[in-house]
Amino acid sequence: MALNIRENSVGIVAAEKILIDTPLTLACGVVLASHELMVETYGTLNADKSNALLICHALSGSHHAAGFYAGDDKPGWWDSYIGPGKPMDTNRFFVVSLNNIGSCFGSTGPTSINPQTGEPWGAQFPSLRARDWVESQRLLMEHLGIQRWAAVIGGSLGGMQAMRWALEHPDKLANSIVIASSMKLSAQNIAFNEIARRAIKSDPEFCDGQYLEKDTAPRRGLALARMIGHVTYLSDELMGQKFGRELRSGTFSQGDAEPVEFQIESYLNYQGDKFSGDFDANAYILITKMLDYFDLSRDYENNPVQAFGHAKCDFLVVSFSSDWRFSPQRSREITDALIAAGKNVSYAEIESDQGHDAFLLPNRRYEQVLGNYLSKIADKLEDVTI
Amino acid sequence: MSMINSVSPTTNLSQTNSLSLVNSSIHSWVQANARVLDLGCGDGTLLAELQQDLNIRGYGLEIDAEAINQCVLKGVNVVEQDLNKGLANFDDNSFDTVIMTQALQAMRYPHLVLDEMLRIGSECIITFPNFGHWKARAYLTLRGRMPVTKELTYQWYDTPNIHFFTYRDFEVLCRQRNINVLRKQFVGEHFLDRQLKNLWPNLFAETVVYHLSK
């Protein structure tokens, strides 16, 4: 098969479904007696199991972060940064990427069967917090026999998990890499999330979230939710550059009655429709709420410095200049709190016109900063190992 | 973004005597285990040395992308921040020592930066090129043009060093603002400089290192 496997790719990968049979008590009080996680790993775990990186995905991410599935030419969502010679260098690190609970790519979530009813969980799936994802990841860590992550890495909601790891399990990670993230969402962020949820719930096929039982799907609502989200992930500048006011069809000529469609309309509709076929509406509602609820320092008297006082790892914080959903100011607040708490931290503000999505996209400076930080970690590990 | 800090370093302390003299002063004035903030930390060499020798907890502020890369590679804490946009994010007395080497003359408002340094740190260490040095004076007097030297290689129109001042200017500023001068060290490489810098610092000190407190 003539697959376009790029030279520095991890190549063909396959996911594994791992059963975690230790009960997981969620923040909301519900206990999941067991749960399943879809997991991909890249690279090789070294003898003392010290070179493992944990990848934390964001709202719509999955376990498929790098490489290609056999017969598929679309790489994983963070393929630009994971692979041999890439910042998360699979020649040096063992990279663990999972689909978190409550999501919809094969791990236990709203589309799974609720063992108590024999029906899909749907909207009844328990409410989740970022700490629940961290706890589930810790159980996966135990399953893999890893004592300490060399680094926990994530962008956006992924960065929130990386920070939560540092507070909940300070001895179980050496580094926390927090990209395009925030210690809590702003009112504007929550507002956008609520509009998205309302869009889903307004779809008549949503059926109060029990659409799987009814064999329907609120695809129009989910597509609309995604379109709103998508606009907030891009910058005005980039949309202007990429689409401007170009027309996909129709003209503004006198006497021409054909309807006009702008390129941006067509693009957004396409993105929305594609997403609504891939993602689950209940999962979208669940995870956007999880984002809204996240507040790093709520349990620490609302004091970020006190919160980070519990951390023992080193930090790298990265933001992108045109990201208005998780603006550089949010990352500067993280950095300032870490400095005030006396933690080791470096912070880079990467020039980019790609908005929030920049954390997923190739960018030379971002690659250098992340690559340098991680290579320093690998140097240290290999020094000790030798 | 201003171009001021996009050029780094702002001056080239020659890699030999001057730099090691400046650094040895800084080393002897920083306490072991201190919390140190280095404003315009460049590639992090100084912080790395202080970390190594004195076990300090250091942070550097820098806006040059390549310098930041080098800091990260060295394992030096570096924070991307434009000094000309202020230091309001740092609390009063949150550091033991705030350092600024060869960058004060590149600041938009040097006197305000100085105030901020003294607010944030219990002590400050500042080094700067003395524009009253005889070479600079001779260049201006004899050629009638703004000095371009091996330490200050820029032309007047492209220099990041927008506020040249002399040793004496700085002394006056410290007096006016009631800044306490704990120590100072004069550095010069030329034979004449080494002989005379302590006698006539404004004429023979190429670089001045100050240790200040409120």
Side-chain angles (χ1 to χ4, degrees):
Chain A
M1 196 185 326
L3 260 184
N4 176 25
I5 303 290
R6 279 169 287 172
E7 206 170 290
N8 51 355
S9 162
V10 296
I12 301 287
V13 298
E16 186 189 352
K17 186 174 260 189
I18 292 177
L19 174 71
I20 305 289
D21 52 14
T22 311
L24 171 62
T25 306
L26 302 172
C28 66
V30 174
V31 180
L32 295 179
S34 69
H35 66 277
E36 291 178 318
L37 295 174
M38 293 298 290
V39 179
E40 284 181 22
T41 66
Y42 324 108
T44 313
L45 189 60
N46 62 9
D48 59 358
K49 302 188 174 187
S50 62
N51 69 335
L53 303 181
L54 174 67
I55 306 297
C56 302
H57 69 66
L59 171 55
S60 58
S62 72
H63 49 285
H64 186 37
F68 300 81
Y69 289 145
D72 189 358
D73 60 359
K74 193 171 166 286
W77 57 270
W78 224 359
D79 193 71
S80 303
Y81 293 90
I82 304 168
K86 292 181 184 174
M88 289 171 242
D89 189 344
T90 47
N91 291 329
R92 309 181 81 180
F93 290 108
F94 177 65
V95 181
V96 178
S97 174
L98 77 156
N99 184 221
N100 289 292
I101 54 170
S103 180
C104 52
F105 295 102
S107 297
T108 299
T111 56
S112 320
I113 301 297
N114 176 353
Q116 268 151 25
T117 62
E119 297 287 334
W121 281 96
Q124 304 309 313
F125 195 82
S127 143
L128 292 175
R129 304 281 194 82
R131 67 183 64 224
D132 296 323
W133 280 11
V134 167
E135 205 45 34
S136 155
Q137 290 157 0
R138 193 188 61 79
L139 295 173
L140 172 65
M141 181 188 197
E142 254 172 32
H143 175 91
L144 297 171
I146 294 164
Q147 302 293 319
R148 191 166 181 248
W149 302 108
V152 177
I153 308 173
S156 193
L157 173 57
M160 293 170 169
Q161 296 158 63
M163 287 187 280
R164 186 57 80 200
W165 259 101
L167 306 193
E168 295 281 309
H169 304 291
D171 294 312
K172 293 195 187 303
L173 71 166
N175 291 274
S176 169
I177 301 182
V178 182
I179 304 167
S181 193
S182 173
M183 293 189 282
K184 56 186 170 195
L185 291 196
S186 66
Q188 190 194 45
N189 284 155
I190 296 173
F192 279 122
N193 284 345
E194 178 57 15
I195 296 168
R197 289 188 291 262
R198 178 80 176 253
I200 293 169
K201 291 176 184 169
S202 305
D203 188 324
E205 299 203 11
F206 182 64
C207 307
D208 287 329
Q210 302 309 111
Y211 49 85
L212 289 177
E213 293 170 32
K214 305 228 153 97
D215 207 23
T216 62
R219 290 191 59 159
R220 280 168 296 169
L222 184 56
L224 182 52
R226 183 57 175 182
M227 286 164 74
I228 296 158
H230 203 86
V231 170
T232 71
Y233 302 146
L234 303 178
S235 70
D236 185 25
E237 194 186 349
L238 181 77
M239 280 172 97
Q241 263 174 33
K242 220 167 153 181
F243 306 103
R245 295 179 49 85
E246 276 175 42
L247 300 183
R248 168 133 181 121
S249 59
T251 70
F252 287 107
S253 309
Q254 285 284 339
D256 189 342
E258 194 197 336
V260 160
E261 188 188 23
F262 286 97
Q263 285 287 3
I264 183 65
E265 296 177 82
S266 150
Y267 170 80
L268 267 187
N269 279 307
Y270 170 78
Q271 291 295 332
D273 290 341
K274 188 164 143 299
F275 186 77
S276 70
D278 294 343
F279 211 80
D280 176 64
N282 283 316
Y284 202 82
I285 292 173
L286 190 69
I287 302 173
T288 53
K289 283 202 166 156
M290 182 173 160
L291 270 158
D292 294 356
Y293 297 159
F294 185 79
D295 183 346
L296 186 84
S297 52
R298 189 191 287 117
D299 294 348
Y300 303 90
E301 295 173 6
N302 296 311
N303 180 346
V305 181
Q306 192 184 321
F308 280 128
H310 294 263
K312 291 184 182 167
C313 63
D314 294 347
F315 291 81
L316 174 67
V317 180
V318 178
S319 74
F320 299 92
S321 58
S322 59
D323 183 352
W324 57 280
R325 188 83 193 246
F326 290 79
S327 75
Q329 183 53 31
R330 302 283 86 78
S331 289
R332 286 194 287 265
E333 288 160 5
I334 297 170
T335 307
D336 287 342
L338 284 165
I339 294 175
K343 302 302 161 186
N344 283 323
V345 55
S346 282
Y347 168 61
E349 197 170 305
I350 308 292
E351 189 72 28
S352 165
D353 62 5
Q354 311 269 6
H356 186 54
D357 269 353
F359 85 86
L360 301 166
L361 302 168
N363 175 312
R364 192 159 168 272
R365 206 189 143 210
Y366 174 31
E367 283 163 32
Q368 285 173 341
V369 170
L370 195 57
N372 283 0
Y373 191 84
L374 284 162
S375 79
K376 179 83 188 165
I377 296 172
D379 288 347
K380 242 193 243 171
L381 287 172
E382 287 159 21
D383 244 19
V384 174
T385 313
I386 289 165
Chain B
M1 184 170 298
S2 71
M3 59 158 288
I4 294 166
N5 288 333
S6 62
V7 189
S8 183
T10 41
T11 72
N12 301 312
L13 271 183
S14 53
Q15 292 303 307
T16 54
N17 293 330
S18 296
L19 184 64
S20 68
L21 271 171
V22 168
N23 281 354
S24 76
S25 296
I26 296 174
H27 271 66
S28 62
W29 297 346
V30 171
Q31 303 282 318
N33 309 313
R35 269 173 69 83
V36 176
L37 184 65
D38 186 357
L39 307 180
C41 66
D43 67 5
T45 304
L46 176 64
L47 281 175
E49 286 172 9
L50 293 172
Q51 243 163 256
Q52 178 82 37
D53 301 343
L54 295 167
N55 190 38
I56 60 143
R57 172 73 57 143
Y59 301 87
L61 303 189
E62 182 54 61
I63 63 167
D64 179 72
E66 191 41 44
I68 290 171
N69 280 341
Q70 292 309 313
C71 288
V72 169
L73 209 49
K74 283 192 180 78
V76 165
N77 294 321
V78 63
V79 171
E80 185 159 346
Q81 183 169 340
D82 186 347
L83 305 178
N84 283 320
K85 290 186 182 158
L87 296 165
N89 52 321
F90 294 101
D91 287 339
D92 296 1
N93 297 310
S94 50
F95 283 86
D96 298 311
T97 307
V98 181
I99 300 177
M100 179 180 265
T101 57
Q102 307 297 97
L104 193 62
Q105 75 285 350
M107 295 297 107
R108 184 75 190 82
Y109 298 109
H111 61 304
L112 300 182
V113 173
L114 198 56
D115 286 351
E116 280 294 84
M117 290 177 70
L118 288 159
R119 176 185 67 77
I120 296 163
S122 313
E123 295 178 356
C124 296
I125 298 174
I126 292 191
T127 81
F128 59 85
N130 170 26
F131 210 64
H133 187 259
W134 63 269
K135 278 192 208 159
R137 297 187 196 210
Y139 200 106
L140 185 57
T141 309
L142 300 176
R143 301 196 196 187
R145 296 192 58 193
M146 290 304 283
V148 177
T149 65
K150 69 178 195 302
E151 289 80 24
L152 300 165
T153 56
Y154 299 96
Q155 294 292 335
W156 63 273
Y157 45 81
D158 66 0
T159 182
N161 303 311
I162 53 173
H163 282 115
F164 276 124
F165 54 98
T166 67
Y167 159 69
R168 194 168 287 166
D169 285 328
F170 193 75
E171 284 280 292
V172 171
L173 182 69
C174 289
R175 265 202 304 280
Q176 282 172 350
R177 302 182 95 77
N178 284 320
I179 295 169
N180 187 18
V181 178
L182 299 173
R183 275 171 278 208
K184 51 195 163 186
Q185 169 87 42
F186 306 112
V187 180
E189 250 185 87
H190 194 277
F191 173 74
L192 267 181
D193 293 344
R194 279 183 280 142
Q195 302 306 310
L196 300 169
K197 63 186 165 67
N198 292 318
L199 208 52
W200 290 296
N202 204 35
L203 210 51
F204 294 103
E206 229 169 1
T207 304
V208 188
V209 192
Y210 269 92
H211 191 188
L212 307 169
S213 73
K214 274 167 273 240

